[in-house]
Amino acid sequence: MNFTLNVLGTASALPTTERYPSAQVLDVRGRLFMIDCGEGAQMQLRRAKVSFQKIEHLCLSHIHGDHLFGIFGLLSTMGMLGRSSVLNIYAPKTFRPVLDFFMQHFGEGVKYEINLVELDMSEPEIVYENRTVELLSFPLRHRGETYGFIIREKVPPYNVYKEAIGRYGLSLAEIGTLKRGEDVVRGDRVIPHTEAAYRPYEPRSYAYCSDTAPFPELATWVKGVSLLYHEATYPAEMSEMAEKNFHSTTVQAASVAREAGVDRLLVGHYSSRFPSVDFYLDELRSIFPESYLAKDGDMIDVPHVIASREATWQSSK
């Protein structure tokens, strides 16, 4: 079951010959969540062989050009390709007039429905969910309204050990009880769900934090995610510049990851001052060893962590 991040762009305000502006696509079990849509996003989508028409959700962090200038072309192309399914857009309320302008001047070929969900929250809130996944948004600290996103799998139901079904003669109703994580009670006898059932895997999660200056609540909000993307526009020595522009340094991004106890940290949104940011890695890993540099074109798979008791069953009875 896919949980794969396609990194389309890692530049900050100015694109370079090696870096496109911010854009990503997360494939969750075949459902595509696009996050930000900088200039050139269509070209990067084609290079990554991502189907425009399969993008169901588009998350826009804020209304700055390097995160938005690709939106008109993408919406138009979806129309020219004959899109008929709904496109859900999650964006600050300041995106409404941008979308209205597009529809008024360029929307003639857009026959599909655009469902705009305006973000307005002070802490993480679920803005979309289905049976297996949920999308949350939360405020970041930047110039103007800016939001981060968490995309995570829901906790799966328990699986019941085949051996337990035979040993206890479990009925269909009792199997259902165990799948819900409840104990089976037979008069004075109790069959604990912790003995007869197991979680098949741990849910995976991805958090996107760009653009933002550090703030105390962030580590709590992204606590324990499988993969954290955090901007690191500047190296540690440029902390004053980062503070002035409401951005983060390598050290600050790594500190969030360490405090949050995430599995892996991925950084991007690099300043164009640096043709190479390889030196960022030493700064990051001095604080959080599981740190990595995002590069345009990267495909990063987040594997399932399989429950340790899946393969064998041991009964205490």
Side-chain angles (χ1 to χ4, degrees):
M1 292 180 286
N2 289 352
F3 200 101
T4 304
L5 179 68
N6 281 273
V7 180
L8 306 178
T10 59
S12 56
L14 297 177
T16 72
T17 55
E18 302 297 325
R19 304 182 201 130
Y20 280 72
S22 294
Q24 302 181 356
V25 173
L26 184 69
D27 180 342
V28 183
R29 304 178 178 214
R31 297 187 179 277
L32 303 188
F33 294 78
M34 185 169 183
I35 308 174
D36 281 338
C37 190
E39 181 182 358
Q42 290 190 82
M43 297 301 296
Q44 292 295 80
L45 286 168
R46 291 201 180 279
R47 289 190 177 99
K49 295 181 170 52
V50 174
S51 170
F52 294 18
Q53 304 298 60
K54 290 185 178 180
I55 296 171
E56 298 181 17
H57 308 277
L58 176 53
C59 307
L60 299 176
S61 61
H62 61 301
I63 312 306
H64 283 174
D66 56 326
H67 295 255
L68 186 70
F69 281 164
I71 191 72
F72 282 16
L74 180 63
L75 297 179
S76 295
T77 297
M78 286 177 170
M80 287 189 284
L81 291 174
R83 184 187 183 101
S84 58
S85 59
V86 176
L87 176 65
N88 300 295
I89 300 180
Y90 310 87
K93 55 183 176 292
T94 46
F95 179 67
R96 172 74 68 178
V98 177
L99 181 60
D100 289 345
F101 177 87
F102 167 78
M103 292 301 296
Q104 179 182 350
H105 294 280
F106 309 107
E108 182 178 353
V110 176
K111 306 302 182 184
Y112 58 93
E113 178 184 351
I114 297 176
N115 173 41
L116 176 60
V117 178
E118 296 183 356
L119 304 177
D120 183 16
M121 64 274 296
S122 58
E123 60 185 20
E125 290 184 10
I126 295 175
V127 294
Y128 167 81
E129 63 179 324
N130 62 21
R131 186 176 58 85
T132 58
V133 69
E134 56 190 14
L135 168 67
L136 298 88
S137 185
F138 53 89
L140 296 173
R141 183 171 175 259
H142 191 50
R143 291 175 288 112
E145 266 193 297
T146 306
Y147 293 91
F149 300 95
I150 297 173
I151 302 166
R152 66 189 182 198
E153 292 176 315
K154 290 185 175 180
V155 177
Y158 283 86
N159 283 353
V160 178
Y161 290 108
K162 292 180 180 179
E163 295 90 340
I165 296 173
R167 181 182 183 96
Y168 298 118
L170 296 171
S171 68
L172 290 177
E174 289 173 335
I175 291 172
T177 298
L178 292 169
K179 281 180 171 290
R180 294 193 299 272
E182 302 170 8
D183 297 339
V184 170
V185 180
R186 294 174 173 174
D188 294 336
R189 187 182 184 189
V190 175
I191 303 173
H193 76 276
T194 53
E195 176 185 305
Y198 63 94
R199 293 282 188 202
Y201 59 84
E202 293 299 320
R204 297 167 292 186
S205 53
Y206 174 66
Y208 178 90
C209 303
S210 186
D211 300 359
T212 188
F215 61 98
E217 297 85 0
L218 183 56
T220 301
W221 292 349
V222 300
K223 191 172 185 63
V225 298
S226 307
L227 179 63
L228 168 64
Y229 177 87
H230 195 296
E231 70 130 291
T233 306
Y234 302 108
E237 67 182 16
M238 298 184 69
S239 59
E240 290 185 7
M241 179 71 75
E243 182 177 3
K244 176 183 176 182
N245 292 324
F246 291 88
H247 281 296
S248 294
T249 67
T250 51
V251 168
Q252 290 166 338
S255 297
V256 172
R258 181 179 62 185
E259 185 179 348
V262 306
D263 291 346
R264 285 188 288 172
L265 169 66
L266 185 69
V267 301
H269 200 264
Y270 310 121
S271 170
S272 60
R273 292 172 176 81
F274 306 106
S276 172
V277 292
D278 289 347
F279 71 98
Y280 277 28
L281 204 54
D282 288 338
E283 297 183 357
L284 292 161
R285 289 184 174 174
S286 68
I287 295 172
F288 188 74
E290 285 297 315
S291 297
Y292 301 89
L293 302 177
K295 296 180 181 178
D296 289 28
D298 278 353
M299 288 184 62
I300 300 165
D301 183 58
V302 180
H304 266 141
V305 177
I306 304 300
S308 60
R309 293 189 65 198
E310 181 180 7
T312 60
W313 175 69
Q314 295 179 352
S315 172
S316 62
K317 300 296 183 182

